[in-house]
Structures are given as structure tokens and as C-alpha cells.
């Protein structure tokens, strides 16, 4: 679809107004001197001199118009020079009319004036032919059409000249007139051909003014004297030359108004009418001349004209057929081009959201980095998107991603580049913004994302972990993307819906994590991990009721590595999954061995910590069932300990926990009170035990807020029929106070540190569980 070219409204510019006044003046003076000669013919040349001078100034001003391309500016300078030559030629004609009026009427110029006119014609023709044409073969066709027009005009001019001589008015010199007419029409033809083929910088409306100017000058100044008798001293050039220059002035004005505007595409023309018009005119002249001869000559002339018409009609029909064929080819090429554009778009954009894909994103990032301007790259990973897919279906997930893409487009600036990099991961390029400003923009996007998104009949909130990296001198797209990705994973490790900005400390932490992660993998393969067991006791007598399984890592080079150091890394690297499987199977196997050795004196329950990452793994509940079956341990004796954070948002983790509970496995909420504590959580999670975090136990001996919270928790557990276990008990006073508050189970160093399997066996041998063994029986 083409857009129509809208021009600024035409205003009566002073130069145009002066030119129009001069044209009217030229016509009035000419008419007065033809009807009633009353003043010197010199005055008839004055309006033309003034108007041509005005046109020279207008063309020069146009050549300096802002936004005009180099080719068009050069053309207008050439036309200004041509106009200046015409001013000098017109002055020469005015001088000649004062000296010898008859020579002026006969179109006989002195040598300087003839040089000026010839140079002007040559200069404008040379300027037009220098213009770059859009299509090949135009120059050859133009030369052929110019030769056709030249022969036609020459024939007409020769005929009228001979008739004039035979009529007794052959005193005029017609050769200069004919030469001027032919050259002028060739100039007009050049303009028309250029207008039809198109060229850089000039708009078709301008070229039409040029063609009108050339045609008026050629026909008026050249053929008018051959057809109209005028008194000595007068010439058709006195009215047609100003008219020619007025057309040029209008063309200059139009050029100033369209400078910088988009060009309207030129239309393909099937054929040129110029040669056919020339042939038709010559045929008409032939019939006119043959009419005087009559008889055989007229019949032959009629037959020749008829044959010419038939051949022309046949050729025009063939050209039209070719045109229709070309039209179909153009349509097919357009369709092919559209298909190529679509393929290119598909290759560089995400098919679901329409955003840029990773390849285009990295390409645009590299281009922006090459400019040296500030640039920030943000990585966004959606939180819990897998839950949406699993619980609501992939159709809703796809609609959710599309809605997020639309919201991003609304929030970002025009120069920003959002992209879907894969799955639930998005990237955003923020050019021209330093880190602080980019972070502020991302926070505004976060606020916009908190407004519910409509996705296939559901209203969902988009939350994501965001990592931001700022470009530096010498940055590459791949490295910038890696840094943003690293920051994003750091944000995800710190909790959902968080931001992180890349810095050197993050890099050092990542390198350490990578090294420790590699050691984790090696340690897991080498069997370096060991398990210890911390007793859970009954209050007030301290009898063992169960054990909590804890993992330890005696590193061969670094010594003891605490769980608080390697467990988060195992979570980030995904090694927590195979490590957790090993812990679960090893602990159950150990419990089965104690059962076989101690029977009823073996621990009643065994707690195993399970991470959020394990709960999100497909088939984890089945893995628990298989581990129980392999060990032969009853499901009621296994306690899966999870944190509040792991199941707070529900989703797959909660679904997995419900499946585990259906097996008969007990569930304990570990470190309760430190995460996303919620009474609603106690209703949705199939918990049997509430393990109160040690931070609430530490200050329980005083009238502190911790004591109040601990008291409230025991009341909640009693009301919900849950088992309450106080963690981190380190003194006898704490144990006594907890018992007075209503707690009947506790765990901590006051009772026992975590024990290796051998020491657990030793304690069991000593009858540590003797007072509680009857509970299972």
C-alpha cells in the first residue's frame, strides 16, 4: 500500500507573485503593441528579463534547500545557470529589437545571443541526462524517442516553411527557428522520459512543470513565428519565454516544499506514447499533403496510414499482454518477497510472543555495543511458570507468556528491545540507560506486572527473578548476557520476585560456587558424604522418640564443609536431587538395619529433609515410594521435613507433598516461623508436625516476644491436633520452660549433638529408647 504524498499548502511567495505579475504584464504589452503599436518593442522584452531573473534567484535558493539530496541540488544549480544564460540572451534580443526590429521578428539573433541560447539549451539537456535513472535501457529508448520527435518536428517545420515561401512570405530565416523548436521538444521529451522512469531527489510533479516549461518554450518560441504574422520588432518569445520561466519558478517552489518528504513510488508504464504520437502526426500530415494530389497518391497514403495504425494497434496489444504478464510476475515476486520477509521474521522472532529470539537479541546487543553508548541488559526468569503449565495446562501457559510480552511492549520505550530467550526466560536491552536508571525502569515494569494478566480465562500475576548487567568498554554480547544471567540466578537464589545487579563480588561467589559444585559432583561420585542423626526427645524425661537425618561433608582438602555452605550450591546446581536421593535411601537403609538389630528398641521415626527443588522434580513421590519399598520400612515411620518457603506458593511442590502424604509418610514443617508463616499454610499443607525454629526458643526463658510466639504456637498446634517439636534447645531451663508452656517434644544440643551411625547404635545398645519403645507396640 502506497502513502499519498502530502505537500505543504501553496503560499503566494514573493518571487512567485512577482513572476505572475510579470507574465500578465508581458501579455498585456504584447497585445497592445500588436493591435496599436504605440511604444518601442524593447519594452516588450522587459517583463521576460525580470521574470527570468526572478527564476534564476528561485532556482539558486532551491539548490540550497535543507534536506535536498546531492543530485537534486546539482540539478537546480544547473537550472539556475541556465536561467542566467537566458537572461543574457533576452537582453541581447532587447538590444537587437532597438537596432534592427525586423531581425528579431525573423528569429535572427546576433552571435553572442545565439551562443547564450544554445549554451542554455545544452546545459539543461546535459543536466537532465546526468540524472541517475532507476531503470536500465532508459538512455537508449530516450535517444530513439528524441530522434523520432526531431524528425517529426523537422518535417512539419519544413512543410510549413515551404508553404510560407510559396505564399510569398519566405523572407524569414526558418532554420534557427526549426533548430530551436526541435531542441526544445527534445528537452521536453527528456523531462517526460525522466518523469516516467523516476530518479533520485525529484518528484513527478516537479518534472511535469519542467516538461510544461520546455513545451511552452519550444512551441511558442519556435513554431509560433511560422504560424502567426506579427509586426517587426515583436516576437512570440516576448510572451512565451516568460511563461516558460514561470513554469520553472513553480517547479522550484514545489521542490522546496517536498524536500525531505518521502517519494511516491513511480508506476510502471507499459509503453511510451511519444513515438506513436509522432507517427500519428506524420500520418496526418501525409494525408493532408496527399489530399492536394488526389487519386492514386491519396489511396496509397490512406493505405500506408491504415497499415501503420494496424501495426501500432497490434504492437500496443502485444505490449499490453506483456504488461499483464509482467504484472503477474510482479505479483509473484511480491508474494515471494513477502514469503522471504516472513521467513526472515520467523528466523529472528519468537513464534508465540512475536518478540525477538535469542539470535536477534544477541545481534542487536552487539550492534548497540558497537555504538559505544550506555547499555544495560536485563534477564527475567518467571517464577513458578512450570506450576501454571502443570496445573492449568499449556494453553494457559502460552496465553500467559503472550500477555507478558504485550505488557512488556507497553512498559518499555520505543528503542528498548524485549526478547523471549526460551521457555519462561526473557531478555531486555535498555540502550542509553546507566545501571541505576535501568533498575528504576525495571521496577516500574515490576509494578505493571503486578496488575493481573488475562490468560485464556484466568487472571494471573507475573513474578520473576531479574538480573541486570551494565555494559563496559570492550564488552561482547555473549559476556554481557552471561553476566545478566548470573545476576538473575543470584536473585532467584535469594527468593522469588527479586532483583540482582552484577558486580565483581557476584563473580567471585559464582566462581567459588562453580568450584564447590565441581567438588560436590566428585564427592557424590566418590561417596565422601556421611550422615549423622540428631535425636528428637520426649519432655520432660528426654527419652528418644525419633531421629532427624543430617548430611555432613568431610572434604579431603578443605576439611569439614558445613551444610549451610554446600546445600545452597547443591540447590543452584541441581545436585541436591541426586544428593537428596542418596540421603533418603541411605537413611532408610540404616533405619532398616537398626530395626533388624534392635527390633522394638529401634527409633520410632526417622526425619529426612527434602528441598523445594526435590519437590518440584517430576516423579519424586514415586521415588519415595520406591525407596520405602526397597528398604522395607513402614511409610508411617518416615517423616519428610520441608520448610515453609518450599510449599508456601503451592503449585507442584504442594501437589508432590500431598502425594507423599497419601503414601502414609508423615510431613513436618521445619524451621516454622522463619519463612512465609501463614495459618492458611497449616490448612493446605498435610502437616503432622510443627518444628518451632530455634530463634523462638533462644529467648524463651524471659518475658520476651519469642516467649509469646512460642506460647501461641503450642496453642495453635494443640487446636489443630499437630505435634509440636521445639528446635535448638540448649539449656535445662529452656527445656523446663517449654514443658511448662505445653511442649512435649524437643530437639537440641542440651539433649544430644548429631551422632554418627556408630554412636547411635551404641546408644541403642545402652537402651536409650527403652522408655519409649512401648509406644510402637
Amino acid at each position: 500500500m502506497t502513502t499519498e504524498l502530502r505537500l505543504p499548502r501553496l503560499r503566494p511567495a514573493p518571487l512567485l507573485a512577482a513572476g505572475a505579475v510579470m507574465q500578465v504584464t508581458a501579455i498585456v504589452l504584447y497585445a497592445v503593441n500588436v493591435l496599436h503599436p504605440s511604444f518601442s518593442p524593447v519594452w516588450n522584452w522587459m517583463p521576460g528579463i525580470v521574470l527570468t531573473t526572478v527564476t534564476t534567484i528561485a532556482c539558486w535558493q532551491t539548490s540550497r534547500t535543507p534536506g535536498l539530496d546531492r543530485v537534486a541540488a546539482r540539478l537546480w544549480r544547473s537550472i539556475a545557470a541556465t536561467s542566467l544564460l537566458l537572461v543574457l540572451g533576452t537582453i541581447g534580443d532587447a538590444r537587437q529589437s532597438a537596432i534592427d526590429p525586423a531581425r528579431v521578428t525573423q528569429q535572427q539573433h546576433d552571435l553572442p545571443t545565439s551562443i547564450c541560447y544554445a549554451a542554455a539549451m545544452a546545459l539543461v539537456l546535459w543536466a537532465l541526462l546526468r540524472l541517475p535513472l532507476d531503470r536500465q535501457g532508459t538512455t537508449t529508448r530516450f535517444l530513439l524517442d528524441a530522434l523520432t520527435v526531431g524528425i517529426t518536428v523537422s518535417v512539419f517545420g519544413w512543410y510549413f516553411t515551404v508553404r510560407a515561401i510559396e505564399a510569398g512570405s519566405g523572407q524569414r530565416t526558418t532554420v534557427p527557428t526549426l533548430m530551436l523548436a526541435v531542441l526544445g521538444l527534445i528537452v521536453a521529451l527528456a523531462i517526460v522520459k525522466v518523469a516516467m522512469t523516476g530518479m533520485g531527489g525529484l518528484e513527478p510533479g516537479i518534472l511535469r512543470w519542467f516538461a510544461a516549461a520546455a513545451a511552452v518554450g519550444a512551441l511558442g518560441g519556435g513554431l509560433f513565428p511560422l504560424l502567426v504574422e506579427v509586426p517587426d520588432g515583436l516576437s512570440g518569445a516576448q510572451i512565451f519565454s516568460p511563461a516558460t520561466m514561470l513554469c520553472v519558478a513553480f517547479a522550484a517552489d514545489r521542490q522546496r516544499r517536498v524536500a525531505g518528504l518521502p517519494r511516491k513510488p513511480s508506476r510502471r508504464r507499459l509503453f511510451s506514447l511519444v513515438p506513436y504520437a509522432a507517427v500519428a502526426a506524420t500520418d496526418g500530415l501525409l494525408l493532408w499533403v496527399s489530399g492536394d494530389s488526389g487519386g492514386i497518391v491519396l489511396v496509397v497514403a490512406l493505405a500506408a496510414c491504415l497499415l501503420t495504425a494496424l501495426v501500432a494497434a497490434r504492437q500496443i496489444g502485444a505490449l499490453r499482454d506483456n504488461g499483464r504478464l509482467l504484472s503477474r510476475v510482479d505479483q509473484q515476486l511480491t508474494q515471494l518477497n513477502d514469503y522471504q520477509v516472513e521467513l526472515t521474521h520467523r528466523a529472528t522472532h519468537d513464534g508465540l510472543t512475536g518478540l525477538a529470539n535469542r539470535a536477534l537479541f544477541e545481534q542487536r546487543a552487539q550492534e548497540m555495543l558497537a555504538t559505544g553508548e550506555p547499555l544495560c541488559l536485563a534477564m527475567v526468569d518467571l517464577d513458578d511458570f512450570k506450576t501454571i503449565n502443570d496445573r492449568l495446562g499449556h494453553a494457559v501457559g502460552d496465553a500467559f507468556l503472550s500477555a507478558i510480552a504485550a505488557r512488556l511492549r507497553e512498559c518499555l520505550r520505543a528503542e528498548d528491545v524485549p526478547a523471549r530467550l526460551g521457555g519462561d526466560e526473557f531478555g531486555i536491552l535498555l540502550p542509553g540507560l546507566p545501571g541505576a536508571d535501568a533498575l528504576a525502569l525495571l521496577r516500574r515494569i515490576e509494578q505493571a506486572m503486578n496488575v493481573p494478566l488475562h490468560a485464556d480465562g484466568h487472571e494471573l500475576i507475573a513474578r520473576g527473578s531479574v538480573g541486570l548487567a551494565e555494559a563496559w568498554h570492550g564488552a561482547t554480547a555473549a559476556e554481557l548476557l552471561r553476566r545478566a544471567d548470573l545476576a538473575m540466578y543470584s536473585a532467584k537464589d535469594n527468593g522469588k520476585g527479586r532483583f540482582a545487579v552484577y558486580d565483581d563480588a557476584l563473580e567471585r561467589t559464582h566462581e567459588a560456587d562453580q568450584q564447590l559444585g565441581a567438588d560436590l559432583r566428585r564427592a557424590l561420585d566418590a561417596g565422601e558424604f556421611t550422615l549423622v542423626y540428631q535425636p528428637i526427645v520426649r519432655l520432660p524425661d528426654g527419652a528418644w522418640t525419633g531421629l532427624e537425618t543430617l548430611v555432613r561433608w568431610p572434604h579431603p582438602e578443605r576439611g569439614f564443609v558445613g551444610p549451610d555452605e554446600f546445600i545452597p550450591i547443591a540447590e543452584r546446581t541441581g545436585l541436591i536431587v541426586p544428593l537428596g536421593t542418596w540421603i533418603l535411601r541411605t537413611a532408610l537403609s540404616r533405619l532398616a538395619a537398626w530395626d533388624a538389630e534392635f527390633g522394638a528398641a529401634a527409633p520410632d521415626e526417622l526425619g529426612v529433609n527434602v528441598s523445594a527443588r526435590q519437590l518440584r522434580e517430576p516423579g519424586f513421590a514415586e521415588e519415595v515410594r520406591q525407596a520405602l519399598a526397597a528398604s522395607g520400612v513402614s511409610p508411617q515411620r518416615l517423616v519428610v521435613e520441608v520448610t515453609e518457603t518450599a510449599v508456601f506458593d503451592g503449585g507442584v511442590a504442594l501437589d508432590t507433598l500431598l502425594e507423599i502424604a497419601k503414601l502414609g509418610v508423615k510431613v513436618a514443617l521445619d524451621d516454622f516461623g522463619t519463612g512465609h508463616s501463614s495459618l492458611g499454610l497449616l490448612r493446605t499443607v498435610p502437616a503432622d508436625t510443627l518444628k518451632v525454629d530455634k530463634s523462638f526458643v533462644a529467648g524463651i526463658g524471659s518475658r520476651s516476644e519469642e516467649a509469646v510466639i512460642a506460647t501461641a504456637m503450642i496453642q495453635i498446634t494443640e487446636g489443630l491436633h499437630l505435634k509440636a517439636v521445639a528446635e535448638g534447645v540448649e539449656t535445662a531451663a529452656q527445656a523446663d520452660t517449654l514443658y511448662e508452656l505445653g511442649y512435649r517434644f524437643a530437639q537440641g544440643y542440651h539433649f544430644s549433638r548429631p551422632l554418627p551411625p556408630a554412636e547411635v547404635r551404641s546408644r541403642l545398645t545402652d537402651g536409650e529408647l527403652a522408655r519409649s519403645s512401648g509406644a510402637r507396640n
Side-chain angles (χ1 to χ4, degrees):
M1 181 177 68
T2 58
T3 302
E4 183 180 355
L5 185 64
R6 296 183 179 274
L7 302 179
R9 295 183 62 183
L10 179 61
R11 295 182 177 86
L15 289 177
L16 281 181
V21 169
M22 289 298 101
Q23 179 61 48
V24 173
T25 302
I27 295 173
V28 171
L29 292 178
Y30 190 86
V32 169
N33 245 3
V34 168
L35 297 177
H36 302 285
S38 54
F39 49 84
S40 172
V42 174
W43 290 101
N44 288 85
W45 294 102
M46 294 305 162
I49 294 173
V50 174
L51 203 156
T52 306
T53 303
V54 166
T55 302
T56 302
I57 297 172
C59 293
W60 180 255
Q61 290 178 346
T62 299
S63 70
R64 302 170 66 85
T65 301
L68 197 64
D69 63 69
R70 182 180 57 84
V71 173
R74 183 182 63 194
L75 173 66
W76 284 106
R77 287 194 297 270
S78 299
I79 296 175
T82 299
S83 300
L84 182 59
L85 289 171
L86 292 177
V87 170
L88 298 177
T90 306
I91 293 174
D93 282 336
R95 173 180 170 276
Q96 185 71 27
S97 65
I99 299 173
D100 188 355
R103 288 175 59 86
V104 172
T105 304
Q106 297 173 9
Q107 297 289 320
Q108 295 181 2
H109 309 290
D110 57 20
L111 182 60
T113 302
S114 298
I115 292 175
C116 288
Y117 284 140
M121 289 294 182
L123 178 59
V124 71
L125 186 59
W126 174 76
L128 288 171
L129 292 180
R130 285 187 68 195
L131 292 172
L133 302 180
D134 289 346
R135 300 172 191 161
Q136 296 179 350
T138 301
T139 303
T140 302
R141 291 195 299 271
F142 163 72
L143 292 175
L144 292 174
D145 287 350
L147 185 59
T148 301
V149 171
I151 293 174
T152 301
V153 174
S154 299
V155 169
F156 271 84
W158 172 81
Y159 173 75
F160 285 115
T161 300
V162 171
R163 290 290 297 268
I165 293 173
E166 292 177 351
S169 56
Q171 302 298 321
R172 301 172 183 171
T173 302
T174 58
V175 175
T177 300
L178 286 175
M179 289 180 60
L180 191 62
V182 171
L183 191 57
L185 285 176
I186 290 174
V187 171
L189 176 65
I191 295 172
V192 172
K193 293 297 290 183
V194 169
M196 290 190 297
T197 55
M199 67 184 154
L202 293 184
E203 181 260 339
I206 299 169
L207 294 165
R208 284 192 289 270
W209 278 114
F210 279 161
V216 168
L219 294 175
L223 298 182
F224 181 79
L226 298 176
L227 303 176
V228 180
E229 292 283 348
V230 294
D232 289 341
L234 297 182
S235 171
Q238 293 167 342
I239 54 174
F240 288 105
S241 291
T244 300
M245 303 315 297
L246 184 61
C247 292
V248 175
F250 273 104
D253 178 76
R254 186 179 181 91
Q255 178 69 84
R256 286 194 298 272
R257 289 186 289 122
V258 302
L261 296 179
R263 290 177 56 200
K264 184 178 179 180
S266 58
R267 296 182 302 171
R268 180 192 295 272
R269 294 178 181 267
L270 299 179
F271 54 87
S272 172
L273 291 175
V274 172
Y276 295 101
V279 170
T282 305
D283 283 349
L285 181 60
L286 177 61
L287 291 175
W288 178 268
V289 174
S290 300
D292 295 337
S293 301
I296 297 176
V297 175
L298 179 59
V299 172
V300 173
L302 284 171
C305 292
L306 180 59
L307 287 174
T308 303
L310 291 174
V311 171
R314 181 181 182 281
Q315 189 177 34
I316 290 174
L319 290 173
R320 289 188 182 278
D321 290 341
N322 290 341
R324 284 190 289 269
L325 178 61
L326 287 174
S327 237
R328 288 195 294 269
V329 171
D330 282 346
Q331 291 176 358
Q332 293 173 355
L333 289 175
T334 300
Q335 292 174 355
L336 179 60
N337 182 65
D338 292 341
Y339 183 62
Q340 289 176 337
V341 169
E342 183 181 356
L343 286 179
T344 302
H345 186 272
R346 288 183 180 181
T348 57
H349 289 76
D350 175 55
L352 176 63
T353 63
L355 299 179
N357 61 11
R358 180 178 289 271
L360 180 59
F361 186 75
E362 292 181 357
Q363 176 186 335
R364 294 296 304 278
Q366 198 61 50
E367 292 171 356
M368 292 178 180
L369 287 170
T371 65
E373 297 295 325
L375 175 65
C376 284
L377 190 153
M379 292 283 291
V380 182
D381 188 81
L382 299 181
D383 295 329
D384 302 321
F385 176 70
K386 188 175 185 300
T387 302
I388 295 175
N389 265 344
D390 292 343
R391 302 189 69 180
L392 301 179
H394 289 278
V396 176
D398 289 347
F400 184 53
L401 292 174
S402 297
I404 289 175
R407 186 68 58 85
L408 281 176
R409 292 190 187 97
E410 294 173 2
C411 298
L412 293 173
R413 305 168 301 162
E415 60 268 30
D416 299 332
V417 179
R420 183 185 176 208
L421 305 182
D424 58 353
E425 192 173 73
F426 292 82
I428 306 173
L429 290 173
L430 302 169
L433 292 181
D437 293 341
L439 193 59
L441 175 59
L442 291 175
R443 293 197 181 279
R444 291 196 296 271
I445 294 175
E446 180 190 29
Q447 294 174 0
M449 289 296 181
N450 286 332
V451 178
L453 296 167
H454 299 282
D456 199 21
H458 298 268
E459 288 193 352
L460 304 172
I461 299 294
R463 290 198 307 167
S465 301
V466 182
L468 184 69
E470 187 173 2
W472 65 100
H473 179 69
T476 63
E479 177 61 17
L480 186 62
L481 194 62
R482 186 195 69 83
R483 292 188 177 189
D485 193 59
L486 183 61
M488 183 267 291
Y489 278 107
S490 175
K492 188 173 284 290
D493 291 340
N494 292 328
K496 298 176 182 179
R498 295 179 181 269
F499 288 80
V501 180
Y502 175 88
D503 57 16
D504 292 339
L506 192 62
E507 188 71 61
R508 290 192 296 271
T509 301
H510 174 68
E511 291 176 357
D513 286 356
Q514 290 294 102
Q515 181 60 46
L516 196 57
D519 287 350
L520 271 172
R521 179 75 267 180
R522 180 195 53 77
L524 192 59
D525 295 337
E528 292 181 3
F529 293 100
T530 62
L531 297 181
V532 293
Y533 304 88
Q534 187 171 33
I536 298 173
V537 304
R538 184 177 62 205
L539 297 178
D541 56 12
W544 288 13
T545 62
L547 299 172
E548 178 183 359
T549 306
L550 303 172
V551 63
R552 295 292 183 263
W553 184 13
H555 195 284
E557 297 177 0
R558 301 175 57 176
F560 177 77
V561 181
D564 56 343
E565 184 177 356
F566 71 81
I567 290 296
I569 296 175
E571 287 269 9
R572 287 194 289 271
T573 59
L575 289 174
I576 192 65
V577 175
L579 178 61
T581 299
W582 176 82
I583 293 172
L584 176 65
R585 289 183 175 273
T586 303
L588 288 174
S589 297
R590 181 67 61 184
L591 180 59
W594 289 330
D595 280 345
E597 183 175 358
F598 298 104
D604 186 32
E605 294 179 346
L606 181 67
V608 176
N609 290 283
V610 174
S611 71
R613 180 70 177 268
Q614 289 174 276
L615 290 175
R616 290 196 296 268
E617 283 294 309
F620 180 69
E622 176 62 21
E623 185 177 313
V624 173
R625 188 195 65 78
Q626 292 177 4
L628 287 168
S631 64
V633 174
S634 172
Q636 290 77 15
R637 298 179 62 195
L638 174 63
V639 180
V640 170
E641 299 191 12
V642 297
T643 62
E644 305 161 84
T645 304
V647 293
F648 180 77
D649 292 316
V652 176
L654 180 57
D655 292 342
T656 301
L657 202 59
L658 290 170
E659 292 180 23
I660 292 174
K662 289 179 182 178
L663 297 175
V665 176
K666 295 178 181 179
V667 176
L669 283 177
D670 198 13
D671 300 331
F672 190 81
T674 60
H676 299 89
S677 298
S678 168
L679 294 180
L681 188 66
L682 297 177
R683 293 194 305 170
T684 56
V685 175
D688 302 284
T689 302
L690 204 67
K691 301 188 75 172
V692 180
D693 187 70
K694 63 182 180 180
S695 62
F696 299 108
V697 174
I700 203 170
S702 61
R703 300 181 62 85
S704 62
E705 294 179 355
E706 286 80 1
V708 175
I709 294 174
T711 303
M713 285 186 182
I714 193 63
Q715 294 173 352
I716 291 172
T717 56
E718 289 176 353
L720 296 176
H721 306 289
L722 299 176
K723 177 181 177 180
V725 178
E727 297 182 299
V729 180
E730 297 184 355
T731 66
Q734 289 174 346
D736 293 340
T737 301
L738 287 168
Y739 181 74
E740 291 175 1
L741 291 175
Y743 285 87
R744 295 298 177 261
F745 301 94
Q747 176 183 359
Y749 273 61
H750 172 62
F751 304 106
S752 174
R753 60 180 175 80
L755 304 173
E759 194 164 344
V760 171
R761 182 177 179 280
S762 176
R763 296 286 186 94
L764 291 176
T765 301
D766 294 341
E768 193 70 43
L769 290 174
R771 286 171 295 178
S772 60
S773 60
R776 272 193 293 128
N777 300 326

